[in-house]
């Protein structure tokens, strides 16, 4: 196996992003096929690592049928101390007679640091028969997260500590959606756009929070998204093309929308005042999905924007870059 490597920089489309990942292209050339692999070889905790694999047939001597070529599958593994700690199957984003393009992403915990040494491996079954693998050099950079204490009034204390069957059912329903990977759910591979034109952020992704209750008790948690401090009634727009898989009132997040964009990748919009979409709708990037508010657990009017990959919260800013390497794969 002959592998060559090129280095690129992922350009962020949104403002206030503290870290820009670099991207690499690794090329494998064999007698009957080649593979162009694009991936971000470094990331911050709470971001993700995405890998794009483009298989191309070489010449006519050992050419296989389109069906055989499209039978090629792959799996991405993140390995620590010889143990696979995260994995994701690749899914098809483009296929023709001579090319077959796959994509996969793995979320990275916001608790990890640069001292955590990983091995990133892409394993592929060529034509569904021959299993091969390639190791992709990868590392984490350190990132500092904000810590804060939030004092809740009686209303928000009641919402945060609610253990009713209704709330637990809502949580289970949302988790069922977020941990679903629909391999045919490929809607947009271009960089995403923030859901509001506002730039004032009142909370950031992975803030370490302590909630202080009116009864003197407290709890700790992470903030899973970005909060935009915008007035009630401000327009909220879809960050990318996708399918609306949840649109309802929830006890803790108020009027909420969840959109599927790629297999296992969802955007979430919370605390809205009203919704303009319903479950099952296909929306384009920039489609109006509702108006902002302060429903549910909120201390003031704002929009909470969140991204989930394979069930885990990932920094929304990461997805405003060319995270699928669509501009590099030309």
């Amino acid at each position: 196996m002959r592998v060559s490597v090129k280095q690129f920089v992922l350009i962020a489309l949104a403002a206030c992003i503290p870290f820009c990942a670099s991207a690499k292209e690794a090329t494998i050339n064999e007698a009957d096929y080649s593979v162009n692999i694009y991936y971000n070889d470094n990331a911050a905790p709470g971001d993700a690592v995405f890998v794009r694999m483009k298989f191309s047939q070489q010449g006519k001597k050992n050419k296989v049928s389109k069906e055989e070529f499209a039978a090629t599958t792959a799996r991405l593994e993140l390995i620590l101390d010889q143990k696979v700690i995260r994995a994701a199957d690749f899914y098809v984003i483009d296929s023709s007679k001579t090319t077959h393009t796959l994509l996969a992403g793995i979320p990275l915990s916001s608790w990890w640091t640069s001292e955590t040494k990983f091995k990133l491996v892409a394993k592929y079954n060529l034509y569904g028969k021959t299993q091969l693998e390639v190791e992709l050099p990868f590392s984490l950079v350190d990132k500092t997260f904000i810590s804060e204490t939030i004092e809740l009034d009686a209303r928000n204390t009641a919402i945060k500590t609610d253990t009713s069957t209704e709330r637990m059912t809502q949580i289970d329903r949302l988790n069922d959606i977020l941990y679903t990977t629909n391999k045919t759910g490929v809607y947009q591979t271009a960089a995403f756009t923030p859901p509001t034109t506002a730039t004032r952020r009142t909370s950031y992704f992975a803030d370490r929070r302590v909630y202080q209750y009116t009864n003197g008790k407290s709890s700790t948690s992470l903030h899973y998204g970005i909060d935009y401090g915008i007035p009630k009634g401000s327009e909220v727009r879809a960050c990318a093309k996708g399918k609306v898989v949840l649109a309802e009132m929830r006890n803790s997040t108020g009027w909420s929308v969840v959109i599927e964009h790629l297999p296992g990748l969802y955007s979430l919009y919370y605390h809205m005042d009203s919704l303009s979409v319903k479950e099952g709708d296909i929306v384009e990037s920039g489609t109006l999905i509702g108006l902002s508010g302060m429903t549910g657990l909120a201390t003031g009017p704002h929009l909470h924007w969140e991204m989930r990959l394979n069930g885990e919260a990932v920094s929304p800013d990461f997805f405003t870059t060319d995270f699928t390497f669509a501009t590099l794969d030309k």
Side-chain angles (χ1 to χ4, degrees):
M1 181 183 293
R2 300 181 295 279
V3 181
S4 60
V5 176
K6 293 181 181 179
Q7 188 83 25
F8 300 91
V9 176
L10 292 179
I11 303 299
L13 300 182
C16 304
I17 300 177
F19 172 73
C20 290
S22 62
K24 277 192 176 181
E25 176 186 2
T27 305
I28 301 171
N29 287 303
E30 296 295 342
D32 57 337
Y33 74 96
S34 66
V35 188
N36 291 91
I37 303 173
Y38 306 88
Y39 76 105
N40 53 301
D41 66 332
N42 58 58
D47 285 349
V49 55
F50 268 76
V51 178
R52 183 188 189 109
M53 300 183 74
K54 183 176 184 178
F55 295 82
S56 302
Q57 295 211 56
Q58 301 279 82
K60 298 180 179 180
K61 184 178 180 181
N62 300 308
K63 193 172 183 179
V64 299
S65 68
K66 179 182 178 181
E67 290 72 25
E68 287 179 284
F69 195 59
T72 298
T73 59
R75 183 172 176 82
L76 185 62
E77 295 181 348
L78 193 64
I79 300 170
L80 180 64
D81 298 329
Q82 308 303 314
K83 182 180 179 181
V84 177
I85 59 170
R86 300 281 172 89
D89 291 329
F90 283 77
Y91 47 87
V92 180
I93 58 173
D94 187 57
S95 191
S96 69
K97 290 183 179 180
T98 58
T99 63
H100 188 58
T101 306
L102 307 176
L103 185 71
I106 290 177
L108 306 172
S109 172
S110 64
W111 296 107
W112 292 344
T113 70
S114 62
E115 296 180 358
T116 313
K117 304 301 180 183
F118 300 103
K119 183 166 72 170
L120 184 66
V121 175
K123 297 181 177 180
Y124 58 100
N125 294 303
L126 189 66
Y127 315 140
K129 301 175 182 178
T130 305
Q131 182 167 313
L132 300 166
E133 66 178 62
V134 57
E135 182 175 343
L136 305 171
F138 175 77
S139 61
L140 281 178
V141 301
D142 285 323
K143 180 178 179 179
T144 301
F145 295 96
I146 295 172
S147 296
E148 62 180 350
T149 297
I150 299 177
E151 295 185 1
L152 301 181
D153 59 16
R155 171 186 170 276
N156 283 322
T157 293
I159 293 173
K160 184 66 177 173
T161 58
D162 179 12
T163 59
S164 66
T165 300
E166 180 183 31
R167 183 173 180 238
M168 295 303 107
T169 299
Q170 291 173 354
I171 291 172
D172 290 342
R173 168 168 153 74
L174 179 60
N175 284 335
D176 286 344
I177 291 171
L178 299 179
Y179 283 94
T180 296
T181 301
N182 172 21
K183 286 196 172 183
T184 63
V186 177
Y187 295 97
Q188 179 170 320
T189 57
F192 293 4
T193 304
T196 173
T197 56
T199 58
R200 187 173 75 90
R201 300 182 179 192
T202 54
S203 293
Y204 297 85
F205 171 75
D207 286 354
R208 277 61 169 151
R209 285 184 166 181
V210 175
Y211 287 101
Q212 191 68 49
Y213 303 141
T214 53
N215 60 9
K217 297 182 179 180
S218 65
S219 65
T220 60
S221 68
L222 288 180
H223 185 241
Y224 289 142
I226 295 170
D227 285 350
Y228 290 95
I230 53 180
K232 178 181 175 180
S234 300
E235 292 183 343
V236 178
R237 298 186 177 275
C239 67
K241 182 178 181 179
K243 180 180 181 180
V244 177
V245 292
L246 183 146
E248 66 182 23
M249 169 62 80
R250 304 179 72 246
N251 291 19
S252 57
T253 61
W255 284 110
S256 306
V257 172
V258 178
I259 303 174
E260 176 190 34
H261 302 289
L262 288 170
L265 181 62
Y266 300 87
S267 63
L268 300 82
Y269 313 78
Y270 287 164
H271 309 300
M272 291 196 283
D273 190 60
S274 63
L275 305 185
S276 303
V277 293
K278 63 183 184 304
E279 290 178 26
D281 286 352
I282 303 298
V283 295
E284 300 293 331
S285 178
T287 295
L288 180 67
I289 61 172
L291 301 178
S292 65
M294 57 176 294
T295 54
L297 178 60
T299 58
H302 71 285
L303 170 67
H304 173 97
W305 178 40
E306 187 174 319
M307 296 294 302
R308 293 288 187 111
L309 175 61
N310 302 340
E312 187 165 343
V314 181
S315 172
D317 286 329
F318 176 83
F319 298 96
T320 62
T321 69
D322 182 22
F323 70 98
T324 70
F325 317 103
T327 61
L328 300 182
D329 181 17
K330 294 180 178 179

